[in-house]
Amino acid sequence: MGNNLLEIRNLKKTFPIRRQKLGLFGQREQMLAVDNLSFTIKEGETYGLVGESGCGKSTTGRMLVGVEKPNSGSILYEGKDLSTLNDREFFPLRKELQMVFQNTLSALNPRQRIGSILEDILKVHGVSDARDRRDQVVDVLEKVGLSEYHYFRYPYELSGGQVQRLGIASALVIKPRLIICDEPVSALDVSIQAQVLNTLIALQQDLRLSLLFISHDIGVIRYISDRIGVMYLGTLVEEAETDELFKNPMHPYTKALFASVPDLYICKETVPEFNGERPVRTDTFKGCAFCTRCPYAMSICAEKTPEFLERSSGHQVACHLYDSME
């Protein structure tokens, strides 16, 4: 792997959830969708971000491409802090940072042919020659497993797998360096998932792409990722290289995730059942994010937020159970 391409430092994002009883114009209570999130993505690496629905994965991806603005923290792309840029300053970097959305079809104009959709992206980024635009579009369609035939089709004429390939093509057509893939295969059959994932892996190797792959599917994350971050309630609870994480999961939440998967090749141990609803995390929330549901919770877990520390080589965990290892 190369040097760090993207570095996330102490990223925080809140959303209002309800009004407090402070009158008609009272301030809204804020939910911490992403809280103190830090990780890096290296050149040519696939970083997997896994966690249950609503943990802040998609919000993180949207902040990296400028769709959402963080409340605080830094998004350093080759040393430049993207979180401080306005839309005009961010525009030149959109060629290098692209996103594949979960529901690609909803992002496409149903009245526009596929060739025209992809050519419009090139027009926006300054490719003025019509023949050059068409050649680039046909080339990227072939790279993702489509063909010149699809240049003249409409998005609704494609199958689910072909639509996701088109989503990848729309991200690739301007030759980015980093692609954020937000649940790109979650709605597909298993066989089609494998085809799309293999396409992404081949493209990454050929083009030296870096990927942030967001998913709640542990099997998919394991297949495609070099390193994995496990996310819960807006924060990372564990991070390690893929083989190390599946061989030696340390955080109780990671163990619970693995225990829920019917896969004989995942290292599992008997995890006591955890009950209760996932809490809403606000600024008044104290302690470990997982402490309200953790079967191993101690008194310190409700009082002090655990530090995200390296417990073994390249393996970081935020859990008071391992404080004695320091």
Side-chain angles (χ1 to χ4, degrees):
M1 297 299 166
N3 299 323
N4 290 342
L5 181 65
L6 193 74
E7 187 173 352
I8 315 303
R9 294 181 182 171
N10 305 317
L11 207 60
K12 180 177 179 180
K13 178 65 178 178
T14 64
F15 293 106
I17 50 175
R18 60 180 178 271
R19 288 190 180 276
Q20 296 175 330
K21 295 181 180 180
L22 297 176
L24 182 61
F25 301 104
Q27 293 182 346
R28 292 187 179 185
E29 190 173 7
Q30 300 290 314
M31 177 189 72
L32 290 167
V34 176
D35 183 31
N36 199 32
L37 183 67
S38 299
F39 62 90
T40 60
I41 301 175
K42 299 180 184 297
E43 293 180 354
E45 176 186 50
T46 298
Y47 186 93
L49 199 57
V50 66
E52 59 193 27
S53 297
C55 71
K57 306 185 302 296
S58 295
T59 301
T60 300
R62 290 165 66 86
M63 284 192 286
L64 300 191
V65 294
V67 176
E68 299 280 359
K69 289 292 185 183
N71 294 73
S72 61
S74 303
I75 304 170
L76 300 176
Y77 176 74
E78 294 192 318
K80 181 178 290 187
D81 191 353
L82 303 183
S83 64
T84 63
L85 305 182
N86 58 36
D87 290 342
R88 183 186 293 272
E89 293 168 332
F90 198 100
F91 180 77
L93 294 171
R94 292 195 185 279
K95 290 186 69 172
E96 303 190 25
L97 301 164
Q98 285 292 298
M99 189 165 187
V100 178
F101 294 95
Q102 181 174 357
N103 187 0
T104 299
L105 194 59
S106 66
L108 303 173
N109 185 345
R111 297 185 178 184
Q112 198 172 5
R113 296 183 191 272
I114 289 168
S116 176
I117 291 171
L118 296 179
E119 283 197 29
D120 280 351
I121 298 172
L122 292 172
K123 284 181 186 177
V124 168
H125 289 279
V127 182
S128 56
D129 184 77
R131 181 178 292 275
D132 191 21
R133 286 198 305 269
R134 173 162 178 162
D135 289 344
Q136 289 188 46
V137 167
V138 171
D139 179 60
V140 79
L141 287 174
E142 291 174 348
K143 281 180 178 175
V144 300
L146 299 175
S147 67
E148 189 172 1
Y149 165 82
H150 296 98
Y151 181 96
F152 302 99
R153 302 298 95 197
Y154 291 95
Y156 61 79
E157 297 180 285
L158 304 182
S159 67
Q162 289 173 331
V163 167
Q164 288 307 102
R165 290 174 187 271
L166 177 57
I168 297 168
S170 66
L172 278 177
V173 72
I174 52 175
K175 302 176 181 177
R177 296 181 64 191
L178 171 67
I179 298 180
I180 291 91
C181 300
D182 184 12
E183 302 270 13
V185 297
S186 62
L188 303 178
D189 294 336
V190 174
S191 61
I192 306 301
Q193 282 186 9
Q195 292 175 20
V196 173
L197 291 174
N198 288 333
T199 298
L200 275 171
I201 292 170
L203 288 168
Q204 182 193 31
Q205 293 172 350
D206 291 343
L207 305 175
R208 286 290 295 169
L209 292 170
S210 299
L211 300 177
L212 171 61
F213 197 95
I214 297 168
S215 180
H216 64 271
D217 189 320
I218 296 170
V220 168
I221 283 285
R222 183 183 192 183
Y223 183 72
I224 198 170
S225 302
D226 299 305
R227 284 189 304 132
I228 297 174
V230 181
M231 199 169 180
Y232 182 77
L233 278 189
T235 188
L236 283 187
V237 296
E238 188 165 2
E239 180 189 79
E241 292 187 359
T242 301
D243 289 343
E244 164 65 15
L245 185 69
F246 280 85
K247 215 181 294 180
N248 181 32
M250 298 180 75
H251 196 279
Y253 178 65
T254 308
K255 294 177 182 178
L257 283 181
F258 288 1
S260 69
V261 178
D263 185 342
L264 297 177
Y265 296 99
I266 293 179
C267 177
K268 301 182 183 183
E269 52 183 82
T270 303
V271 179
E273 182 178 353
F274 58 88
N275 300 308
E277 294 293 325
R278 185 177 60 193
V280 176
R281 196 173 184 195
T282 65
D283 283 324
T284 59
F285 190 98
K286 292 197 308 179
C288 172
F290 191 55
C291 72
T292 58
R293 305 174 72 191
C294 180
Y296 308 109
M298 304 173 287
S299 57
I300 191 175
C301 299
E303 300 166 2
K304 181 182 176 184
T305 302
E307 294 184 62
F308 195 62
L309 299 174
E310 188 172 63
R311 310 296 182 172
S312 63
S313 180
H315 196 152
Q316 299 181 86
V317 186
C319 184
H320 289 301
L321 291 173
Y322 301 100
D323 287 348
S324 60
M325 296 176 61
E326 297 176 27

